[in-house]
Amino acid sequence: MTFVQTLGGGRRGDRFGGMGRSLRRAMLKMRLSLAAGIDGASPVTVALVLTMVLSAYFVLLPGVDLAVSDLFHDPALGFVATTDPLLRALRKSSSWVMGLMLLGLIVVAVRGWWTGWREAKKALFLISGLALASGLVVNGLFKASWGRARPIQIEAFGGEAEFTRAWLVTDQCAANCSFVSGEASSAAWIAAVAVVMTPQPWRAILIPAAFAYAAALSFNRLLFGGHFLSDIVLSWAITALVLCLLHRLMLHCPVAARRARRRRRARSTPVPALA
């Protein structure tokens, strides 16, 4: 009896000890990530500047959204592309593609316990990126709070709502609103999966194909009258910014900070004098 109790207590101790070590590693990774800093040529900086430039463009020139959407609108028939069977099938295909990609990433992440953490960390980054960028930021924050009506809902295209420019918080839409595009954000994530996970021999083929497919999914919403051009373009920019920040935190900074720390230690180590 005494042996069984001691064994159980040891197992509980090992479990709590493992949790403590995992927490310490997470805190160390956060500290190293912050210590690495951000330089002007980093993807985070590029994505941030691109988001700001595109935002300024659509804020200063709101008529661009109306003009582009008007190209696909017929005054008598509305947005006629909504009845095209190929375009409707293209939109439906995204759910299958995303589902298969997510399943594959989960498998890679689980296999990491036995086969090594390099690919598993990439998979965990992408799974987290989908939840954070497309789920929390785009759908949870922007679409739920900005209240921008979709093209098909505004007066210029046969609806009843007023047109509002990008970034203007309004009450023209109550739920599942136009700014920014959730499907474009998911499409950008599909492209990111291709960039991060495609093996080197296949990159020249699969990455351009993934970007072409993601662009087709995104601008399909423009043809349907579901989103303005700014909804789509800014969704890509915001998703890229979130993914770049998360990539830096989870993958890049810990490695860069450790290398910098090794270089500092090497410089501070005294050189032995020659006899």
Side-chain angles (χ1 to χ4, degrees), residues 70 73-78:
D70 187 57
H73 179 263
D74 185 290
L77 301 175

Side-chain angles (χ1 to χ4, degrees), residues 59-127:
V59 168
L60 295 174
L61 298 172
V64 172
D65 276 332
L66 289 171
V68 173
S69 292
D70 187 57
L71 295 174
F72 309 104
H73 179 263
D74 185 290
L77 301 175
F79 288 94
V80 295
T82 56
T83 60
D84 189 296
L86 291 178
L87 295 179
R88 293 170 67 89
L90 173 65
R91 186 185 182 192
K92 290 182 179 180
S93 70
S94 64
S95 299
W96 289 96
V97 173
M98 284 190 62
L100 291 173
M101 282 185 164
L102 187 58
L103 179 61
L105 292 172
I106 292 173
V107 171
V108 172
V110 172
R111 285 180 56 198
W113 289 99
W114 296 277
T115 60
W117 277 105
R118 183 176 180 181
E119 295 300 313
K121 287 179 181 179
K122 294 180 181 179
L124 290 173
F125 151 69
L126 290 166
I127 295 171

Side-chain angles (χ1 to χ4, degrees), residues 5 20 33 95 116 118 120 134 186:
Q5 291 176 346
S33 300
S95 299
R118 183 176 180 181
S134 298
S186 299

